[in-house]
Amino acid sequence: MPSRRTWWITGGAVAVVAAAAIGGPLVYAALEGDAPPAPTVQVQPEDAELTPDTDGTWTVTDASTAGYRVDEVLNGADVTVAGTTDQVTGTVVVTGGDLADADVTVDVASITTDSDRRDGYFRDNVMDVAAHPTATFSVTEVADLPELTGTPVTVPVTGELTLAGVTQQVQAEVSVVRTAEGIDVSGSVPVTFTDFGIEPPDLGFVRVEDQGAVEFLLHLTL
């Protein structure tokens, strides 16, 4: 078994909603309402001609996305914030129906929300993209994949998530489905930010919860 396998990753996994005391509230001035639902795999039509085999080396396509989701209290109101990017690359190897190896990377600097000011703070002050331009998830145990069909199945995954240069072991369940183009994978990884040395902002007008999630949707093709 390979000593280190990277399957899916995300680049954010933090809610960066802080600013300096002067002008801090401006970061949130344009924010109204909650973020859209997390992206998930879809049930395929019954008459769909699905990819004939799951074994092989799969490539993460440019239609894939990854990012973060977190809850915050903004001026007394509960708000959900999500950041995402389509700058996701890598490969996934399936052998004998098992996840055998993978290497997937996300460009952290390209993660965006609905606020340019928040995104700038996220890149420079929280994730320090100059020093840590990417984030990764490394699978530490072989993932046993059930037979894949056009109906999503749930697969437990154990691995190491690296954010801002700090690595922690995490566990998650992902949804996997076979499609006409290949394989789709989606999931959400629970994250406690302080475990990665990241202090959630608490500036009075906004307080970010310490627990959030990394979320992703990968489209894989041979």
Side-chain angles (χ1 to χ4, degrees), residues 3 10 12 53 61 75 81 101 129 156 172 180 201:
S3 61
T10 96
D53 193 9
T61 74
N75 293 325
V81 173
D101 196 9
V129 297

Side-chain angles (χ1 to χ4, degrees), residues 50-51 54 94 145-151 153 155 176-178 183:
L50 305 179
T51 183
T54 57
V94 178
L145 301 177
E147 181 180 357
L148 299 182
T149 67
T151 300
V153 295
V155 179
V176 186
V177 66
R178 188 188 295 190
I183 298 175

